Amino acid sequence: MNDNVKQNQRKVALATLIGTTVEWYDFFIYASAAALVFKQLYFVPAGSSLGTIITFASVGVSFLFRPLGAFLAGHFGDRIGRRAVLVATLILMGGSTFLIGVLPTYESIGLAAPILLILLRILQGISAGGEWGGAVLMAVEHAPKGKRGLFGSFPQTGVPLGLLLASGMLALMSGVIAPGEAFVEWGWRIPFLFSVVLLLLGHWIRKTVEESPVFEEIKERKVSVQKPVVKLFKNHFLLVIIAALVFSGNGALGYMTTGGFIQNYTTDPDGLLKMERTPVLLAVTAAAASWLLFTFLAGFFSDKIGRRNIYIIGWIVQYVGVIALFPLVNMGTWHSVWLALTLLSVGIGLTYGAQSAFYSELFPASIRFSGVSISYAIGAILGGAFSPLISAALIEKTGSTESVVYYLGFMTTVGLFATLLLKDRSNIPLGPQYEDLQNESPIYGFKRKHSKEKEDISVAVD
């Protein structure tokens, strides 16, 4: 492999890492700020309990629009290329986040404030729905032989890194620059405005990387699909659902932290613990570092022992994190919250690090962008979209966190079961010339039955 190829591969890895970090920094800033200040700034007429639920609903509503972003990005990503879609989604996310940072509050403009806030959150959801698939395919399709899991872990580590930066920025503002009422008045806005700096950096890097070699080969062979989303659902509907369920088990737990539930649960002045904001934000920041580490390790070791095996180990560890979560959090100390979230993040990282390569190897080249994006977006809705809202509602209804433990344990079981349904296809060829091999069903107990028309494929039970 010549030096130019290696240099480009390193640039792609860095670009996907930074780009995904920018996207998720913006996304998580909203979730954290929603848990800490949005209830009193934008949803104050609803009161404390209902205001909390509405606030979490505003976090979750963006997930409902992720499939729209995934459909659009999947179509254009399979038709015109991975790189152009990545740049577009990055600009959309950064612009929406900046506008939230300058948005007047309910006190200033009344009902228009929460309406505009939710509209901007919807734009964030559309962007997030399209960004992930492009970053994943750029990393995996550029990866050298035997290192797909490692390269695919770079866009994955951008997620905990985005959380780490978001929580760190908010902790800095809350504890040092704008403590107390200053944080509520103006301090929370600075991290939103800071996203412009990250946007410019990520945009510059992504514009310098080359297009995916798999997509270049698709163009050269002239085998692109006119309606990739239609073909995906016609031929691979069951696979999309199972892949979505895999991510749902991870997302439900991930968004307990990134969706702001733990931050709100521990700091709510009307709640049980009434902890200070800054220590909780520091605990989340430290736990995000653990999530980052184990995401990277999962990608690396998936190249050694297979994607599916890493997932299974991760689900088992995730059960441990679920059981330990509330007994530790309810101790109400910085250290106990940090330990609880760190234990949780180990399982989350292990079930997240291999996802890029695992998903990419499930779908044929000509519809791969659509397949990974839409599966991810649906999984985010099923698992992550309303897990903070569901958890808050369960506690409100039962007065106990025990019901939340059962809910998270159930979602982990869903993820494990879906993983067991899929075969490990580590290192399957990704190029368009291997589409027949890629079309072989990765679902245990099912096979592809080819009709006379090559693209007309249906699923039949063995």
Side-chain angles (χ1 to χ4, degrees), residues 12 153 340 448:
V12 167
S153 71
R448 296 279 169 200

Side-chain angles (χ1 to χ4, degrees), residues 370-424:
S370 298
V372 300
S373 297
I374 293 172
S375 298
Y376 185 86
I378 295 174
I381 291 176
L382 297 176
F386 297 106
S387 60
L389 174 63
I390 291 170
S391 299
L394 286 171
I395 292 176
E396 179 74 16
K397 181 73 173 178
T398 65
S400 169
T401 56
E402 186 175 346
S403 56
V404 180
V405 173
Y406 286 120
Y407 163 64
L408 297 178
F410 170 75
M411 293 306 300
T412 301
T413 303
V414 168
L416 172 60
F417 180 71
T419 303
L420 294 175
L421 290 176
L422 295 174
K423 301 172 185 175
D424 192 312

Side-chain angles (χ1 to χ4, degrees), residues 280-298:
V280 172
L281 288 168
L282 289 172
V284 173
T285 304
S290 174
W291 182 5
L292 190 156
L293 173 63
F294 282 92
T295 296
F296 179 81
L297 291 175

Side-chain angles (χ1 to χ4, degrees), residues 20-320:
T20 310
T21 300
V22 170
E23 281 275 335
W24 291 102
Y25 167 85
D26 290 350
F27 201 76
F28 294 151
I29 277 289
Y30 182 98
S32 295
L36 296 171
V37 298
F38 282 178
K39 180 174 71 173
Q40 61 195 100
L41 295 178
Y42 292 97
F43 306 108
V44 63
S48 180
S49 296
L50 182 58
T52 298
I53 292 175
I54 294 175
T55 300
F56 284 139
S58 79
V59 174
V61 72
S62 67
F63 289 79
L64 299 179
F65 288 84
R66 279 200 194 184
L68 175 59
F71 274 72
L72 292 172
H75 175 81
F76 290 108
D78 283 325
R79 295 283 296 141
I80 67 174
R82 287 45 166 147
R83 187 177 63 178
V85 171
L86 284 177
V87 173
T89 56
L90 190 62
I91 293 172
L92 179 61
M93 177 67 85
S96 303
T97 305
F98 177 83
L99 290 175
I100 292 174
V102 298
L103 184 66
T105 64
Y106 181 88
E107 185 180 5
S108 299
I109 60 173
L111 191 59
I115 292 174
L116 289 172
L117 181 68
I118 291 171
L119 287 176
L120 290 170
R121 181 60 174 173
I122 287 171
L123 291 180
Q124 284 190 323
I126 292 173
S127 172
E131 191 275 344
W132 183 81
V136 160
L137 295 189
M138 285 291 285
V140 172
E141 292 178 347
H142 271 286
K145 184 177 180 180
K147 293 185 177 181
R148 272 185 213 154
L150 175 63
F151 269 62
S153 71
F154 281 97
Q156 298 299 87
T157 55
V159 179
L161 187 56
L163 175 62
L164 191 153
L165 287 177
S167 299
M169 278 290 291
L170 287 169
L172 179 65
M173 297 305 301
S174 174
V176 180
I177 299 175
E181 285 302 310
F183 180 79
V184 178
E185 291 173 4
W186 60 269
W188 67 269
R189 295 182 183 274
I190 303 303
F192 284 85
L193 302 179
F194 180 72
S195 69
V196 171
V197 177
L198 298 178
L199 186 152
L200 293 173
L201 177 63
H203 178 67
W204 176 78
I205 290 178
R206 277 188 169 168
K207 288 289 284 186
T208 65
V209 302
E210 296 179 8
E211 179 59 89
S212 157
V214 171
F215 183 77
E216 293 289 4
E217 194 171 347
I218 289 173
K219 284 200 305 183
E220 183 180 335
R221 292 172 174 267
K222 298 180 180 179
V223 291
S224 63
V225 178
Q226 290 295 319
K227 299 178 180 178
V229 176
V230 173
K231 181 182 176 182
L232 173 72
F233 280 101
K234 178 182 177 183
N235 299 341
H236 303 278
F237 176 78
L238 182 59
L239 177 58
V240 168
I241 298 304
I242 294 174
L245 291 175
V246 171
F247 180 53
S248 71
N250 169 281
L253 273 75
Y255 286 103
M256 288 295 289
T257 301
T258 61
F261 174 82
I262 293 295
Q263 293 92 318
N264 179 269
Y265 175 77
T266 52
T267 64
D268 189 347
D270 298 317
L272 176 67
L273 300 178
K274 299 180 178 64
M275 295 178 66
E276 294 294 322
R277 280 193 301 260
T278 303
V280 172
L281 288 168
L282 289 172
V284 173
T285 304
S290 174
W291 182 5
L292 190 156
L293 173 63
F294 282 92
T295 296
F296 179 81
L297 291 175
F300 175 80
F301 283 107
S302 76
D303 287 324
K304 311 297 181 184
I305 66 173
R307 328 290 180 216
R308 189 171 178 267
N309 289 335
I310 284 290
Y311 261 100
I312 292 170
I313 294 170
W315 295 127
I316 295 170
V317 175
Q318 194 164 291
Y319 278 119
V320 176

